[in-house]
Amino acid sequence: RVITDFETGSEPDVLFFFNGADSNSFIEADKVVSIDEIRAEFPEYATNMNDDLITASLVDDKKYAVPVNGYWEAMFVNTEVLEAAGVSMPGADYTMDQFKADCAKIKDAGYTPIAAALGNIPHYWWEFAIFNNQSPATHLEVPADIGDENGKAWVAGMNDIKELYELGCFPENTLSATDDETFAMFTDGKAAFLIDGSWKVGGIVSACQSDPEDPSTLDADKLAHFDVTYVPGKGSRKATDLIGGLSSGYYITRKAWEDPEKKAAAVSFVEYMTSDNVVPVFAQHTASALKNAPEVDTTQFNALQVKAMDMMSGVTSLTGAVQDLFMGDCRVSTFDGMPEIVTGRVSAEDAVAEGLEMYQNQ
Protein backbone atom coordinates (compact mmCIF):
# COMPACT_ATOMS: atom_id res chain seq x y z
CA ARG A 1 0.00 0.00 0.00
CA VAL A 2 2.82 2.42 0.90
CA ILE A 3 4.64 1.72 -2.36
CA THR A 4 1.39 2.23 -4.27
CA ASP A 5 0.85 5.59 -2.57
CA PHE A 6 4.23 6.75 -3.86
CA GLU A 7 3.51 5.44 -7.34
CA THR A 8 0.23 7.35 -7.51
CA GLY A 9 1.51 10.61 -6.02
CA SER A 10 -0.41 10.09 -2.77
CA GLU A 11 2.61 9.76 -0.48
CA PRO A 12 2.48 11.37 2.99
CA ASP A 13 4.62 14.27 4.19
CA VAL A 14 6.48 12.13 6.71
CA LEU A 15 6.78 8.36 6.52
CA PHE A 16 7.74 5.76 9.11
CA PHE A 17 8.94 2.83 7.03
CA PHE A 18 11.56 0.14 6.55
CA ASN A 19 15.14 0.91 5.59
CA GLY A 20 16.71 -1.62 3.21
CA ALA A 21 15.38 -2.87 -0.10
CA ASP A 22 11.72 -2.09 0.66
CA SER A 23 12.43 1.61 0.20
CA ASN A 24 14.42 1.26 -3.04
CA SER A 25 11.62 2.21 -5.42
CA PHE A 26 10.79 5.59 -3.91
CA ILE A 27 14.45 6.44 -3.34
CA GLU A 28 15.19 5.66 -6.99
CA ALA A 29 12.28 7.94 -7.94
CA ASP A 30 13.66 10.78 -5.76
CA LYS A 31 10.51 10.76 -3.65
CA VAL A 32 12.29 11.16 -0.30
CA VAL A 33 15.01 13.53 0.93
CA SER A 34 18.40 12.42 2.27
CA ILE A 35 19.55 13.35 5.76
CA ASP A 36 22.53 15.22 4.29
CA GLU A 37 20.25 17.35 2.11
CA ILE A 38 18.10 18.21 5.10
CA ARG A 39 21.15 19.04 7.22
CA ALA A 40 22.33 21.51 4.58
CA GLU A 41 19.37 23.67 5.63
CA PHE A 42 18.75 22.35 9.16
CA PRO A 43 22.25 21.55 10.50
CA GLU A 44 21.01 20.05 13.78
CA TYR A 45 18.77 17.48 12.09
CA ALA A 46 19.35 13.99 13.56
CA THR A 47 22.67 15.05 15.11
CA ASN A 48 21.64 13.23 18.31
CA MET A 49 22.11 10.00 16.36
CA ASN A 50 25.29 8.00 15.82
CA ASP A 51 25.65 8.29 12.04
CA ASP A 52 27.58 5.01 11.92
CA LEU A 53 24.43 3.20 13.05
CA ILE A 54 22.09 4.84 10.52
CA THR A 55 21.44 2.46 7.63
CA ALA A 56 22.44 3.69 4.17
CA SER A 57 20.28 3.01 1.14
CA LEU A 58 21.29 0.19 -1.17
CA VAL A 59 20.43 2.49 -4.08
CA ASP A 60 22.98 5.28 -3.64
CA ASP A 61 24.65 4.68 -0.26
CA LYS A 62 22.97 7.82 1.15
CA LYS A 63 21.11 7.88 4.45
CA TYR A 64 17.45 8.82 4.39
CA ALA A 65 15.58 7.41 7.40
CA VAL A 66 16.23 8.66 10.94
CA PRO A 67 15.95 5.45 12.98
CA VAL A 68 13.94 4.85 16.11
CA ASN A 69 14.31 1.24 17.14
CA GLY A 70 15.66 -1.99 15.76
CA TYR A 71 16.65 -5.47 16.82
CA TRP A 72 19.62 -7.40 18.14
CA GLU A 73 20.63 -11.02 18.42
CA ALA A 74 22.52 -12.06 21.56
CA MET A 75 22.92 -14.89 24.05
CA PHE A 76 20.36 -15.49 26.76
CA VAL A 77 21.56 -17.27 29.87
CA ASN A 78 19.88 -19.39 32.52
CA THR A 79 21.99 -18.35 35.50
CA GLU A 80 20.50 -21.08 37.71
CA VAL A 81 22.15 -23.67 35.44
CA LEU A 82 25.44 -21.76 35.49
CA GLU A 83 25.43 -21.66 39.28
CA ALA A 84 24.75 -25.39 39.50
CA ALA A 85 27.69 -26.05 37.16
CA GLY A 86 30.06 -23.60 38.84
CA VAL A 87 30.27 -21.37 35.75
CA SER A 88 30.56 -17.58 35.91
CA MET A 89 28.26 -15.28 33.98
CA PRO A 90 29.94 -14.48 30.63
CA GLY A 91 31.04 -10.90 30.07
CA ALA A 92 32.11 -8.53 27.33
CA ASP A 93 35.44 -10.29 26.64
CA TYR A 94 33.99 -13.80 26.41
CA THR A 95 35.70 -16.01 23.80
CA MET A 96 34.75 -19.22 22.04
CA ASP A 97 37.55 -21.05 23.86
CA GLN A 98 36.11 -19.96 27.21
CA PHE A 99 32.65 -20.87 25.99
CA LYS A 100 33.69 -24.42 25.05
CA ALA A 101 35.37 -24.87 28.44
CA ASP A 102 32.21 -23.67 30.19
CA CYS A 103 30.06 -25.97 28.05
CA ALA A 104 32.16 -28.92 29.21
CA LYS A 105 31.56 -27.99 32.86
CA ILE A 106 27.82 -27.59 32.24
CA LYS A 107 27.63 -30.96 30.52
CA ASP A 108 29.59 -32.64 33.33
CA ALA A 109 27.08 -31.17 35.81
CA GLY A 110 24.27 -32.97 33.98
CA TYR A 111 22.82 -30.09 31.98
CA THR A 112 22.63 -29.28 28.27
CA PRO A 113 24.96 -26.40 27.41
CA ILE A 114 23.16 -24.99 24.35
CA ALA A 115 19.43 -24.90 23.68
CA ALA A 116 19.16 -25.17 19.89
CA ALA A 117 17.22 -27.28 17.39
CA LEU A 118 19.79 -27.66 14.61
CA GLY A 119 17.36 -29.69 12.53
CA ASN A 120 14.65 -27.05 12.78
CA ILE A 121 16.03 -23.54 13.44
CA PRO A 122 19.83 -23.42 13.00
CA HIS A 123 19.64 -19.76 11.92
CA TYR A 124 21.29 -18.02 14.87
CA TRP A 125 24.19 -20.42 15.15
CA TRP A 126 24.63 -20.36 11.36
CA GLU A 127 24.85 -16.57 11.48
CA PHE A 128 27.23 -16.15 14.41
CA ALA A 129 29.45 -19.07 13.43
CA ILE A 130 30.08 -17.37 10.09
CA PHE A 131 30.43 -13.96 11.78
CA ASN A 132 33.07 -15.43 14.13
CA ASN A 133 35.26 -16.19 11.14
CA GLN A 134 34.84 -12.74 9.61
CA SER A 135 34.47 -9.19 10.94
CA PRO A 136 31.76 -6.50 10.92
CA ALA A 137 33.43 -5.05 7.81
CA THR A 138 33.08 -8.23 5.74
CA HIS A 139 30.12 -10.09 7.18
CA LEU A 140 27.52 -8.79 4.74
CA GLU A 141 29.54 -9.81 1.68
CA VAL A 142 28.14 -13.05 0.27
CA PRO A 143 31.08 -15.11 -1.05
CA ALA A 144 31.50 -15.77 -4.76
CA ASP A 145 32.54 -19.35 -3.95
CA ILE A 146 34.26 -21.35 -1.20
CA GLY A 147 37.68 -20.38 -2.55
CA ASP A 148 37.59 -16.70 -1.59
CA GLU A 149 38.24 -15.44 1.95
CA ASN A 150 34.58 -15.12 2.83
CA GLY A 151 33.84 -18.53 1.35
CA LYS A 152 36.51 -20.05 3.56
CA ALA A 153 34.96 -18.24 6.53
CA TRP A 154 31.56 -19.75 5.78
CA VAL A 155 33.03 -23.25 5.62
CA ALA A 156 34.94 -22.65 8.86
CA GLY A 157 31.72 -21.49 10.51
CA MET A 158 29.86 -24.65 9.58
CA ASN A 159 32.75 -26.73 10.88
CA ASP A 160 32.70 -24.78 14.16
CA ILE A 161 29.06 -25.81 14.66
CA LYS A 162 30.04 -29.38 13.81
CA GLU A 163 32.73 -29.26 16.50
CA LEU A 164 30.22 -28.06 19.12
CA TYR A 165 27.89 -30.88 18.08
CA GLU A 166 30.69 -33.44 18.39
CA LEU A 167 31.53 -32.05 21.84
CA GLY A 168 27.94 -32.77 22.91
CA CYS A 169 27.04 -29.12 23.51
CA PHE A 170 23.57 -29.38 21.94
CA PRO A 171 20.55 -31.38 23.16
CA GLU A 172 20.68 -35.09 22.40
CA ASN A 173 17.66 -34.65 20.12
CA THR A 174 18.89 -31.41 18.51
CA LEU A 175 18.51 -32.88 15.01
CA SER A 176 14.85 -33.87 15.51
CA ALA A 177 13.60 -31.43 18.15
CA THR A 178 11.57 -28.32 17.38
CA ASP A 179 12.67 -24.84 18.36
CA ASP A 180 9.77 -24.68 20.84
CA GLU A 181 11.01 -27.85 22.54
CA THR A 182 14.58 -26.63 22.98
CA PHE A 183 13.33 -23.22 24.14
CA ALA A 184 11.32 -25.03 26.81
CA MET A 185 14.51 -26.81 27.91
CA PHE A 186 16.07 -23.41 28.45
CA THR A 187 13.17 -21.88 30.38
CA ASP A 188 12.69 -25.08 32.43
CA GLY A 189 16.28 -24.95 33.68
CA LYS A 190 17.65 -27.85 31.65
CA ALA A 191 19.89 -25.85 29.28
CA ALA A 192 22.24 -22.93 29.92
CA PHE A 193 22.56 -20.86 26.75
CA LEU A 194 20.20 -19.69 24.02
CA ILE A 195 21.11 -17.47 21.07
CA ASP A 196 18.06 -15.60 19.81
CA GLY A 197 16.74 -12.14 19.04
CA SER A 198 15.53 -9.21 21.14
CA TRP A 199 11.97 -10.38 20.49
CA LYS A 200 12.68 -13.47 22.65
CA VAL A 201 12.68 -11.32 25.79
CA GLY A 202 8.90 -11.41 25.68
CA GLY A 203 8.85 -15.19 25.27
CA ILE A 204 11.07 -15.72 28.29
CA VAL A 205 8.97 -13.35 30.38
CA SER A 206 5.79 -15.16 29.31
CA ALA A 207 7.36 -18.47 30.33
CA CYS A 208 7.78 -16.99 33.82
CA GLN A 209 4.08 -16.16 34.13
CA SER A 210 1.49 -18.62 35.43
CA ASP A 211 -0.76 -17.21 32.72
CA PRO A 212 1.36 -16.41 29.61
CA GLU A 213 -1.22 -13.80 28.57
CA ASP A 214 -1.40 -11.99 31.92
CA PRO A 215 1.69 -9.95 32.96
CA SER A 216 0.29 -9.64 36.49
CA THR A 217 1.01 -13.36 37.03
CA LEU A 218 4.77 -12.91 36.55
CA ASP A 219 6.98 -14.93 38.90
CA ALA A 220 9.73 -12.36 39.51
CA ASP A 221 11.93 -14.91 41.31
CA LYS A 222 11.87 -17.21 38.28
CA LEU A 223 12.59 -14.34 35.88
CA ALA A 224 15.59 -13.37 38.02
CA HIS A 225 17.31 -16.58 36.86
CA PHE A 226 17.55 -15.27 33.29
CA ASP A 227 20.08 -12.86 31.85
CA VAL A 228 21.35 -11.81 28.42
CA THR A 229 24.91 -11.25 27.28
CA TYR A 230 27.16 -11.18 24.23
CA VAL A 231 27.74 -14.12 21.91
CA PRO A 232 31.28 -15.48 22.48
CA GLY A 233 33.78 -13.98 20.05
CA LYS A 234 36.58 -15.40 17.98
CA GLY A 235 39.37 -13.84 15.93
CA SER A 236 38.72 -10.24 14.92
CA ARG A 237 35.06 -10.34 15.96
CA LYS A 238 34.68 -9.10 19.52
CA ALA A 239 31.90 -10.59 21.62
CA THR A 240 30.39 -7.11 21.79
CA ASP A 241 29.99 -7.04 17.98
CA LEU A 242 26.41 -8.21 17.57
CA ILE A 243 24.08 -9.06 14.74
CA GLY A 244 21.36 -6.44 14.66
CA GLY A 245 20.22 -3.28 13.04
CA LEU A 246 17.84 -0.39 12.86
CA SER A 247 15.25 -1.67 10.46
CA SER A 248 12.83 1.27 10.32
CA GLY A 249 12.88 5.04 10.56
CA TYR A 250 11.34 8.39 9.66
CA TYR A 251 11.60 9.74 6.10
CA ILE A 252 10.69 13.22 4.91
CA THR A 253 9.21 13.10 1.44
CA ARG A 254 10.22 15.35 -1.44
CA LYS A 255 6.58 16.44 -1.60
CA ALA A 256 6.74 17.96 1.91
CA TRP A 257 10.31 19.24 1.52
CA GLU A 258 9.39 21.34 -1.50
CA ASP A 259 6.26 22.76 0.16
CA PRO A 260 7.26 26.01 1.96
CA GLU A 261 4.34 25.65 4.34
CA LYS A 262 5.24 22.09 5.36
CA LYS A 263 9.04 21.83 5.24
CA ALA A 264 9.83 23.18 8.71
CA ALA A 265 6.89 21.36 10.26
CA ALA A 266 8.01 18.03 8.79
CA VAL A 267 11.55 18.55 10.11
CA SER A 268 10.24 19.56 13.54
CA PHE A 269 7.98 16.52 13.72
CA VAL A 270 10.77 14.05 12.89
CA GLU A 271 13.12 15.77 15.34
CA TYR A 272 10.54 15.34 18.06
CA MET A 273 9.76 11.70 17.25
CA THR A 274 13.49 10.87 17.16
CA SER A 275 14.52 12.93 20.19
CA ASP A 276 16.50 11.50 23.10
CA ASN A 277 13.39 11.39 25.27
CA VAL A 278 10.97 9.86 22.77
CA VAL A 279 13.12 7.16 21.14
CA PRO A 280 13.47 5.06 24.35
CA VAL A 281 9.67 4.87 24.59
CA PHE A 282 9.67 2.90 21.35
CA ALA A 283 13.07 1.20 21.53
CA GLN A 284 12.77 -0.06 25.14
CA HIS A 285 15.25 -2.98 25.36
CA THR A 286 15.99 -3.13 21.62
CA ALA A 287 18.56 -1.16 19.62
CA SER A 288 18.69 2.57 18.92
CA ALA A 289 21.17 4.96 17.33
CA LEU A 290 21.10 7.58 20.06
CA LYS A 291 24.50 9.00 20.99
CA ASN A 292 23.37 9.71 24.53
CA ALA A 293 20.40 7.63 25.52
CA PRO A 294 18.85 9.07 28.68
CA GLU A 295 18.51 7.16 31.92
CA VAL A 296 15.27 5.22 31.85
CA ASP A 297 12.82 4.67 34.67
CA THR A 298 13.61 1.01 35.28
CA THR A 299 10.42 0.61 37.30
CA GLN A 300 8.57 0.67 33.98
CA PHE A 301 10.35 -2.47 32.74
CA ASN A 302 10.77 -6.04 33.91
CA ALA A 303 14.12 -7.33 35.15
CA LEU A 304 15.12 -9.01 31.88
CA GLN A 305 14.36 -5.88 29.85
CA VAL A 306 16.60 -3.88 32.19
CA LYS A 307 19.40 -6.45 31.81
CA ALA A 308 19.00 -6.22 28.02
CA MET A 309 19.34 -2.44 28.15
CA ASP A 310 22.52 -2.79 30.20
CA MET A 311 23.90 -5.30 27.72
CA MET A 312 23.13 -3.04 24.77
CA SER A 313 24.99 -0.14 26.38
CA GLY A 314 28.23 -2.08 25.80
CA VAL A 315 27.70 -3.06 22.17
CA THR A 316 30.59 -2.00 19.90
CA SER A 317 28.83 -2.60 16.56
CA LEU A 318 25.61 -3.86 15.00
CA THR A 319 25.89 -5.75 11.71
CA GLY A 320 22.93 -6.95 9.69
CA ALA A 321 22.16 -10.63 9.20
CA VAL A 322 23.77 -11.99 6.02
CA GLN A 323 21.08 -14.67 5.90
CA ASP A 324 18.64 -11.89 5.04
CA LEU A 325 20.59 -11.44 1.80
CA PHE A 326 21.17 -15.15 1.27
CA MET A 327 17.52 -16.12 0.94
CA GLY A 328 15.43 -18.77 -0.79
CA ASP A 329 16.58 -22.16 -2.02
CA CYS A 330 20.25 -21.25 -1.70
CA ARG A 331 19.94 -21.65 2.08
CA VAL A 332 18.61 -25.20 1.92
CA SER A 333 21.98 -26.98 1.78
CA THR A 334 23.19 -25.40 5.01
CA PHE A 335 19.93 -24.61 6.85
CA ASP A 336 17.88 -27.73 6.14
CA GLY A 337 21.13 -29.60 5.63
CA MET A 338 22.65 -28.73 9.01
CA PRO A 339 22.04 -32.28 10.38
CA GLU A 340 23.95 -33.68 7.42
CA ILE A 341 26.86 -31.30 8.05
CA VAL A 342 27.25 -31.83 11.80
CA THR A 343 27.03 -35.63 11.47
CA GLY A 344 29.61 -35.63 8.70
CA ARG A 345 27.34 -37.14 6.04
CA VAL A 346 27.93 -34.04 3.92
CA SER A 347 31.08 -31.94 4.16
CA ALA A 348 30.82 -28.29 5.07
CA GLU A 349 32.69 -27.49 1.86
CA ASP A 350 30.14 -29.27 -0.32
CA ALA A 351 27.12 -27.83 1.50
CA VAL A 352 28.38 -24.24 1.35
CA ALA A 353 29.51 -24.63 -2.27
CA GLU A 354 26.06 -25.85 -3.29
CA GLY A 355 24.33 -22.91 -1.65
CA LEU A 356 26.71 -20.32 -3.06
CA GLU A 357 26.44 -21.71 -6.57
CA MET A 358 22.67 -21.50 -6.37
CA TYR A 359 22.90 -17.94 -5.00
CA GLN A 360 25.22 -16.79 -7.80
CA ASN A 361 23.00 -18.34 -10.47
CA GLN A 362 19.61 -17.13 -9.25
Side-chain angles (χ1 to χ4, degrees):
R1 177 181 167 183
V2 169
I3 299 299
T4 300
D5 284 345
F6 274 93
E7 291 173 344
T8 59
S10 302
E11 67 269 22
D13 300 316
V14 172
L15 174 71
F16 184 75
F17 197 63
F18 301 110
N19 299 319
D22 293 296
S23 61
N24 284 359
S25 62
F26 51 75
I27 289 175
E28 289 169 346
D30 192 31
K31 294 277 191 174
V32 289
V33 187
S34 73
I35 291 173
D36 283 344
E37 184 176 350
I38 296 169
R39 283 176 176 168
E41 190 166 337
F42 297 88
E44 297 301 310
Y45 186 72
T47 53
N48 62 323
M49 299 284 169
N50 181 341
D51 280 2
D52 291 339
L53 296 180
I54 299 178
T55 303
S57 168
L58 299 172
V59 174
D60 55 12
D61 204 35
K62 294 181 181 179
K63 298 176 180 182
Y64 290 86
V66 184
V68 174
N69 63 310
Y71 73 97
W72 46 258
E73 295 174 12
M75 188 166 73
F76 294 96
V77 181
N78 188 314
T79 57
E80 193 171 30
V81 174
L82 294 197
E83 291 167 7
V87 172
S88 300
M89 179 68 190
D93 298 323
Y94 201 46
T95 67
M96 277 303 299
D97 287 340
Q98 292 173 309
F99 178 71
K100 285 184 280 189
D102 285 345
C103 284
K105 292 179 184 178
I106 292 164
K107 187 180 177 187
D108 288 345
Y111 297 90
T112 296
I114 303 168
L118 292 182
N120 179 215
I121 306 291
H123 303 51
Y124 304 105
W125 278 97
W126 184 98
E127 190 77 42
F128 273 100
I130 290 173
F131 197 16
N132 260 344
N133 288 279
Q134 297 179 313
S135 71
T138 60
H139 185 59
L140 291 178
E141 300 171 3
V142 177
D145 55 53
I146 62 170
D148 67 22
E149 287 305 308
N150 280 349
K152 293 174 184 176
W154 282 39
V155 171
M158 298 305 100
N159 281 325
D160 285 350
I161 299 174
K162 182 174 184 286
E163 180 189 6
L164 290 173
Y165 175 80
E166 292 171 342
L167 290 171
C169 296
F170 296 104
E172 290 184 0
N173 66 340
T174 187
L175 304 185
S176 58
T178 65
D179 186 62
D180 286 344
E181 289 171 339
T182 55
F183 177 62
M185 290 182 64
F186 176 73
T187 55
D188 290 344
K190 299 175 182 177
F193 302 118
L194 171 76
I195 295 182
D196 214 305
S198 47
W199 48 86
K200 208 66 170 183
V201 169
I204 294 171
V205 172
S206 293
C208 296
Q209 297 172 186
S210 57
D211 180 350
E213 304 299 324
D214 184 357
S216 69
T217 65
L218 176 67
D219 183 339
D221 290 336
K222 182 176 181 180
L223 185 62
H225 293 306
F226 296 97
D227 209 331
V228 61
T229 189
Y230 312 103
V231 177
K234 174 186 171 184
S236 61
R237 183 208 150 239
K238 299 185 290 290
T240 49
D241 294 328
L242 292 185
I243 297 297
L246 299 158
S247 52
S248 300
Y250 284 96
Y251 296 80
I252 292 179
T253 63
R254 180 70 60 188
K255 181 178 180 180
W257 183 250
E258 295 181 349
D259 186 331
E261 295 183 0
K262 292 183 175 180
K263 177 188 287 188
V267 169
S268 179
F269 176 74
V270 174
E271 287 180 329
Y272 174 77
M273 294 303 292
T274 59
S275 65
D276 289 355
N277 291 324
V278 173
V279 167
V281 176
F282 293 94
Q284 296 189 357
H285 63 276
T286 62
S288 84
L290 291 177
K291 290 178 181 176
N292 299 297
E295 291 292 325
V296 297
D297 180 1
T298 56
T299 63
Q300 302 300 309
F301 302 97
N302 62 57
L304 187 55
Q305 287 177 316
V306 173
K307 290 172 181 176
M309 293 176 196
D310 289 341
M311 184 270 295
M312 284 303 294
S313 68
V315 168
T316 48
S317 71
L318 286 174
T319 302
V322 73
Q323 63 186 265
D324 290 346
L325 304 176
F326 191 67
M327 299 180 70
D329 291 342
C330 58
R331 301 199 308 196
V332 170
S333 63
T334 49
F335 275 55
D336 298 359
M338 187 63 74
E340 305 296 311
I341 296 171
V342 297
T343 57
R345 293 193 292 267
V346 173
S347 71
E349 289 83 356
D350 288 345
V352 172
E354 180 182 336
L356 291 178
E357 182 179 6
M358 188 168 293
Y359 176 81
Q360 299 298 341
N361 293 329
Q362 66 183 359

